[in-house]
């Protein structure tokens, strides 16, 4: 991997380890939010008894834990760059009574597994952050058995994900941040319809499909929304750390006003949309 991409990887590892306590704190709310995406992924791959599964960018454990419950005496390996996130996944899997798993810290572009090792490979909402997406796709296809099933998911565009733009747009409006270079790792990097599906076709998958899945962040209040987003989202925390107290207070007030204006009944349930991609080797 090129030095520039290695640097991005190390920054991401540090960031995910730093923010893993926030993800643990908000895990129930976030997993409820992301469940429709995971459910669609599981429906498409249709896990079966005794299959071997690789779950990449596992985070706090889902949808890998739900997949593990369906493979009986099969085995699942959770992988992630962040040891902190995998510790939470391990804890959540143990709580769920899942015995057939192991965890491994590794990079998606350099997977420590043999060719044709897994019946299923899954990766929920990780791809848009991988430094080299083509290299990652080739690696995931490499370790998938012939006839094996693959699924991943990425966010649709900002116009369908107000849960991101409510904070992000307010920060940018007030602080005039320089947008990241086109194609740089980020939330909406894979938002163009067909973009990621094409990458996997080029990597050798067939019968590739793309399905849009709607969801909602059920925060309840603007305060809960603000607290969650400023404890799990590294780019927002980084931006706010460069603002003085007055600017931070202004941004917070404007986000509250934006949310309360959109949800005047006090029931903050913010819609989201993601693409789920499926393919076979």
């Amino acid at each position: 991997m090129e030095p520039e991409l290695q640097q991005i990887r190390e920054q991401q590892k540090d960031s995910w380890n730093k923010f893993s306590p926030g993800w643990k704190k908000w895990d129930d709310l976030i997993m409820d939010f992301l469940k429709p995406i995971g459910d669609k992924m599981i429906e498409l791959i249709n896990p079966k008894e005794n299959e071997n599964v690789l779950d990449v960018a596992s985070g706090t454990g889902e949808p890998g834990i739900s997949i593990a419950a369906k493979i009986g005496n099969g085995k699942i390996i959770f992988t992630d760059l962040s040891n902190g996130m995998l510790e939470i996944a391990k804890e959540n899997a143990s709580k769920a009574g899942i015995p057939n798993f192991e965890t491994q810290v590794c990079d998606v572009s350099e997977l420590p597994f043999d060719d044709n090792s897994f019946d299923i490979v899954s990766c929920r909402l990780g791809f848009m952050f991988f430094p080299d997406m083509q290299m990652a796709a080739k690696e995931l296809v490499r370790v998938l058995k012939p006839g094996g099933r693959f699924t991943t998911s990425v966010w649709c565009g900002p116009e369908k994900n107000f849960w991101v733009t409510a904070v992000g747009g307010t920060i940018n409006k007030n602080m005039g941040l320089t947008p990241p270079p086109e194609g740089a790792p980020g939330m909406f990097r894979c938002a163009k319809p067909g973009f990621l599906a094409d990458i996997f076709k080029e990597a050798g998958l067939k019968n590739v499909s793309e399905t849009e899945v709607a969801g909602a962040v059920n925060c309840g209040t603007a305060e809960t929304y603000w607290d969650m987003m400023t404890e799990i989202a590294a780019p927002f925390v980084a931006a706010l750390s460069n603002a003085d107290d007055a600017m931070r207070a202004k941004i917070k007030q404007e986000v509250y006003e934006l949310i309360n204006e959109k949800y005047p009944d006090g029931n903050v349930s913010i819609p989201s949309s993601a693409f789920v991609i499926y393919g076979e080797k």
Side-chain angles (χ1 to χ4, degrees), residues 61 89 94 127 131 146 152 185 200 261 271:
S94 297
F127 234 86
T152 189
F200 276 99
E261 180 184 341

Side-chain angles (χ1 to χ4, degrees), residues 29-273:
L29 192 156
I30 296 169
M31 290 306 103
D32 175 70
F33 162 40
L34 300 180
K35 190 173 185 298
I37 301 171
D39 286 350
K40 174 51 79 172
M41 293 171 67
I42 292 169
E43 175 192 327
L44 289 168
I45 55 173
N46 188 23
K48 297 180 177 67
E49 182 83 18
N50 296 322
E51 290 193 307
N52 288 325
V53 181
L54 176 66
D55 188 61
V56 176
S58 296
T60 62
E62 285 290 356
I65 293 170
S66 294
I67 294 171
K70 295 179 177 295
I71 58 174
N73 293 320
K75 181 180 176 183
I76 187 164
I77 301 177
F78 300 136
T79 69
D80 203 286
L81 263 185
S82 165
N83 183 63
M85 297 296 273
L86 284 180
E87 285 299 316
I88 303 169
K90 191 184 299 184
E91 186 178 319
N92 287 340
S94 297
K95 281 181 188 173
I98 300 298
N100 53 339
F101 76 95
E102 65 180 65
T103 62
Q104 186 153 350
V105 177
C106 62
D107 176 20
V108 66
S109 294
E110 299 170 338
L111 294 173
F113 309 113
D114 292 338
D115 296 358
N116 310 318
S117 293
F118 299 96
D119 301 289
I120 292 171
V121 174
S122 59
C123 174
R124 184 168 74 176
L125 300 170
F127 234 86
M128 54 272 185
F129 300 117
F130 296 157
D132 189 322
M133 292 185 292
Q134 283 76 13
M135 187 186 299
K138 288 176 183 175
E139 271 292 271
L140 295 176
V141 172
R142 177 185 69 78
V143 301
L144 190 63
K145 293 179 181 178
R149 291 101 69 206
F150 169 82
T151 186
T152 189
S153 52
V154 291
W155 294 115
C156 297
E159 71 284 355
K160 295 185 176 183
N161 287 288
F162 181 65
W163 68 278
V164 178
T165 59
V167 173
T170 304
I171 290 173
N172 290 340
K173 181 182 74 173
N174 280 279
M175 299 184 68
L177 301 180
T178 303
E182 186 174 350
M187 291 288 287
F188 303 123
R189 183 189 188 195
C190 300
K192 183 180 177 183
F195 173 80
L196 195 54
D198 286 345
I199 286 179
F200 276 99
K201 288 174 186 174
E202 290 167 12
L205 292 187
K206 58 190 179 184
N207 300 325
V208 176
S209 66
E210 180 177 273
T211 308
E212 189 169 341
V213 177
V217 193
N218 296 307
C219 298
T221 67
E223 180 181 14
T224 298
Y225 168 73
W226 171 265
D227 289 347
M228 180 186 72
M229 294 300 287
T230 55
E231 291 179 20
I232 67 167
F236 300 156
V237 176
L240 291 170
S241 69
N242 292 321
D244 59 28
D245 291 343
M247 177 58 77
R248 279 195 295 272
K250 182 174 185 287
I251 290 170
K252 182 177 180 179
Q253 180 183 348
E254 289 183 9
V255 170
Y256 273 47
E257 290 172 353
L258 190 60
I259 295 295
N260 289 327
E261 180 184 341
K262 199 168 182 70
Y263 304 97
D265 62 356
N267 181 24
V268 178
S269 180
I270 310 175
S272 68
S273 190

